[in-house]
Amino acid sequence: MLRRLPWALAGVALLLSACSDGAADAAAQEPALTSLPTVTSAASTTTSPPTTTSTTTTTTTTTTTTTTTLPPTTDARLELIEEVWGDIAPKSVVASGNGLFFAQNMMYRHTITVYDSVGNLVKTISDRVNLADYGIEGYEGTHQGSPVEAVFTSDGAYAYVSNYQMYGDGFNRAGGDGCNLGSWDESFLYRVDTTDLEIDQVIPVGAVPKFLAITPDDTYVLVTNWCTFDMSVVATATGEEVTRVDLGRHPRGIAVTSDGSKAYASVMGGTDIAIVDLGDFSIDWLRDVGRSPRHLVLSPDDDILYVTLNGEGTVIKIDLETGETVGRVATGDAPRSMAISTDGQSLYVVNYNSDTVSKVLTSDMTEVQELPANDKPIGITYDPETGNVWVSTYSGSLMIFGDR
């Protein structure tokens, strides 16, 4: 269900033209969702205009890639243009770069919901699979996942989705947010073909996989495994894990350099960020950057790494030549995920406990806006085609902000 705000028609015209992560320390936790909104029938709650439609039965989709030059974001300001509601509880929302947006609804809904660029529902993908159909032996019957995060190949043809845990026969020791190393059930990635929006691969990884990244040449998908304290490296050519890299307690965020030579991975159960050589998988470190580093994004030139410090409530700017922190800003209470504009001039940050979204200028790490969001904002993505910023909220909504 899409709710258009009063100024949405102009925004739409412009568009068409162009669980909880817990560590041992309580301060490192993302509060678990304890209750979900009651979802009533669309007939009784829809406030969309008659021309807006949605479906959960579409099996094909057509996307058109348009090269768009967006204006600089420094002088632009965020403005809410759309809200999307429905049978969702999205932990994350991720832009494909060619007009599709995937929202991962965890075990609360057992779905991935797919939207077009103006917020219309294209399809609801169930996380139910028969593992034997994908060559996974030793399991009987059907199983359910719990979609957490997603990443797209460079051409948007495929999405890889992590599953926090699996449900069904053979899965009886699920890891949790406060896990120590142990014999936890390992989980799987799903690959979704964005042409027909069907799951076409299931790939074994570690226990409680969370954030994903992909190398620019699409060779590897990287996923941090929260409860096995490592990172799986999956070869896209074979759909198989080729190695794991030990990282430490509760790894989460990943950022890959534009040449694909390195991946930075945050270790949320500590104060460090790993630097993984993607040639030989050796590790160096950025030590003592701050308490419970969570989300990472790189500047377009790979010179700067931006980090949300979950345990300190700040966002920091690290000069990667020196390894020194050269900027810091406090946004709202409990900054979680971030996105960066294509021009690298702006960061967009969701603040979980204060129910806000912030815009930060990267030049001097100044917060220029902090806008209200719906309850429990947790995920965020930047659309490089339109310059819009999408926010996912655990309370059951997606919010679309224009940065004009």
Side-chain angles (χ1 to χ4, degrees):
M1 173 177 57
L2 180 105
R3 183 170 75 199
R4 285 199 203 287
L5 299 177
W7 51 90
L9 293 180
V12 171
L14 181 56
L15 288 175
L16 295 177
S17 67
C19 229
S20 137
D21 291 341
D25 191 312
Q29 294 180 356
E30 292 179 4
L33 187 62
T34 56
S35 62
L36 287 168
T38 300
V39 177
T40 57
S41 67
S44 63
T45 61
T46 298
T47 57
S48 308
T51 54
T52 300
T53 60
S54 63
T55 178
T56 60
T57 58
T58 301
T59 56
T60 61
T61 186
T62 301
T63 58
T64 301
T65 301
T66 303
T67 301
T68 305
T69 301
L70 298 172
T73 60
T74 302
D75 296 325
R77 292 297 177 263
L78 292 172
E79 183 177 46
L80 181 63
I81 56 174
E82 305 277 357
E83 290 185 39
V84 181
W85 297 83
D87 189 11
I88 59 174
K91 170 79 169 181
S92 65
V93 61
V94 182
S96 70
N98 62 2
L100 292 179
F101 298 78
F102 276 36
Q104 287 59 240
N105 296 303
M106 292 280 282
M107 67 286 288
Y108 309 120
R109 296 293 185 263
H110 286 294
T111 61
I112 304 159
T113 41
V114 183
Y115 303 87
D116 67 15
S117 62
V118 294
N120 293 312
L121 180 66
V122 176
K123 186 174 183 181
T124 296
I125 304 171
S126 171
D127 67 8
R128 187 180 296 274
V129 295
N130 186 321
L131 293 174
D133 291 345
Y134 300 91
I136 310 296
E137 298 179 352
Y139 299 97
E140 296 182 359
T142 59
H143 295 79
Q144 289 181 290
S146 42
V148 186
E149 297 275 0
V151 69
F152 289 87
T153 53
S154 59
D155 60 1
Y158 296 98
Y160 291 85
V161 178
S162 56
N163 286 284
Y164 184 97
Q165 66 184 81
M166 300 298 292
Y167 294 81
D169 179 67
F171 295 96
N172 50 30
R173 186 168 168 75
D177 288 332
C179 59
N180 294 310
L181 281 175
S183 54
W184 308 111
D185 291 335
E186 299 203 336
S187 191
F188 298 87
L189 305 184
Y190 292 164
R191 190 180 79 167
V192 178
D193 187 324
T194 61
T195 301
D196 58 13
L197 296 174
E198 298 286 343
I199 298 167
D200 69 358
Q201 280 187 0
V202 176
I203 304 166
V205 288
V208 190
K210 294 206 172 184
F211 198 80
L212 304 100
I214 194 165
T215 55
D217 63 0
D218 298 328
T219 297
Y220 295 127
V221 171
L222 313 174
V223 58
T224 44
N225 300 307
W226 185 261
C227 290
T228 41
F229 293 12
D230 54 23
M231 181 174 73
S232 291
V233 180
V234 173
T236 59
T238 61
E240 296 179 350
E241 182 184 63
V242 295
T243 192
R244 289 194 193 173
V245 180
D246 291 331
L247 293 177
R249 183 179 181 83
H250 300 159
R252 204 188 192 286
I254 310 172
V256 180
T257 56
S258 56
D259 64 1
S261 64
K262 297 177 185 176
Y264 295 87
S266 61
V267 183
M268 198 169 161
T271 61
D272 302 330
I273 294 171
I275 309 170
V276 182
D277 185 310
L278 295 179
D280 60 12
F281 302 108
S282 60
I283 302 179
D284 201 352
W285 294 93
L286 293 170
R287 297 289 190 185
D288 298 322
V289 301
R291 194 152 51 95
S292 300
R294 185 187 187 274
H295 198 92
L296 309 178
V297 296
L298 280 162
S299 61
D301 60 9
D302 295 333
D303 288 343
I304 300 293
L305 184 68
Y306 301 98
V307 185
T308 58
L309 296 179
N310 194 60
E312 299 183 12
T314 58
V315 180
I316 62 171
K317 176 181 181 178
I318 299 175
D319 182 328
L320 291 175
E321 183 176 357
T322 65
E324 298 296 320
T325 297
V326 294
R328 180 185 302 266
V329 63
T331 55
D333 185 6
R336 293 292 191 251
S337 300
M338 281 186 299
I340 192 168
S341 58
T342 302
D343 63 13
Q345 296 176 0
S346 301
L347 295 172
Y348 310 95
V349 185
V350 285
N351 306 302
Y352 189 86
N353 289 340
S354 56
D355 295 335
T356 58
V357 56
S358 295
K359 177 174 179 176
V360 173
L361 300 185
T362 57
S363 57
D364 58 5
M365 296 300 284
T366 299
E367 183 190 56
V368 293
Q369 281 183 286
E370 186 173 345
L371 300 179
N374 295 329
D375 190 34
K376 302 180 179 68
I378 189 67
I380 193 165
T381 193
Y382 181 82
D383 180 13
E385 290 190 302
T386 65
N388 286 344
V389 177
W390 289 52
V391 171
S392 62
T393 74
Y394 254 159
S395 51
S397 70
L398 297 168
M399 307 178 74
I400 308 174
F401 293 86
D403 196 19
R404 308 278 190 262

